Amino acid sequence: MLFIPLSRLYLGVHFPTDLLGGYLIGGVLLLLYLWLEPGVEAWLTKKGLAWQLCAGLLVPLLLVLLVPSAGKYGVMTGATLMGMGVGFALERRWVRFESEGIWWKRVLRFLIGVPVLFTMWLGLQAAFYGLEPEQIYRFARYALVGLWTGLGAPWLFVRLKLADKG
């Protein structure tokens, strides 16, 4: 987190002021999240699954629409956030995955989850190759990757007894 921006400075693709601005914006966003998250989570929990799914769908979509100049990277980020948002809402309702656990179960979750994630990412890229409109298929690919991260992997880990239900 600290060294990647420094590498960008070393490579000459950013100025020191860019790094300082990025660190400041990141710090402000982190503090804002830490301040707002407990209240927003409690509010969404009270509202129920429909509201949670709407938030998971609409907030990333709104972000993509607000920054249309982000191009394919905006679509990829928004779709991933959308898939994860929907996945997290469904996961809390049906799976109740707990991330704690003994070290070897955590290692196994990583050794299973990451290869499945990359296989899915590459497999969907191959399956959608050359299909038009490209942005729609890119969106679907990244939304499915996000859904795996938010719902699929936790479900699999609970089923394999690599994680407990909360």
Side-chain angles (χ1 to χ4, degrees), residues 73-138:
Y73 298 109
V75 168
M76 293 175 346
T77 303
T80 304
L81 286 172
M82 186 179 288
M84 290 176 74
V86 168
F88 289 151
L90 295 173
E91 185 278 327
R92 281 290 93 194
R93 177 75 167 224
W94 293 318
V95 180
R96 309 290 302 168
F97 168 80
E98 290 295 328
S99 61
E100 294 83 21
I102 54 180
W103 70 270
W104 64 268
K105 286 185 176 184
R106 289 181 183 195
V107 170
L108 278 175
R109 291 193 308 243
F110 180 82
L111 292 174
I112 293 169
V114 171
V116 170
L117 175 71
F118 281 112
T119 301
M120 184 179 202
W121 181 70
L122 288 170
L124 289 170
Q125 181 181 29
F128 294 160
Y129 181 77
L131 297 178
E132 294 292 333
E134 181 184 352
Q135 291 288 63
I136 298 294
Y137 288 102
R138 177 177 285 124

Side-chain angles (χ1 to χ4, degrees), residues 34-103:
L34 292 172
W35 179 56
L36 292 174
E37 188 271 336
V40 171
E41 182 180 4
W43 179 77
L44 272 175
T45 300
K46 283 187 221 172
K47 289 292 186 181
L49 183 61
W51 276 80
Q52 294 166 15
L53 291 173
C54 283
L57 290 168
L58 296 178
V59 170
L61 185 61
L62 181 64
L63 291 173
V64 170
L65 294 175
L66 286 175
V67 189
S69 62
K72 72 178 184 178
Y73 298 109
V75 168
M76 293 175 346
T77 303
T80 304
L81 286 172
M82 186 179 288
M84 290 176 74
V86 168
F88 289 151
L90 295 173
E91 185 278 327
R92 281 290 93 194
R93 177 75 167 224
W94 293 318
V95 180
R96 309 290 302 168
F97 168 80
E98 290 295 328
S99 61
E100 294 83 21
I102 54 180
W103 70 270

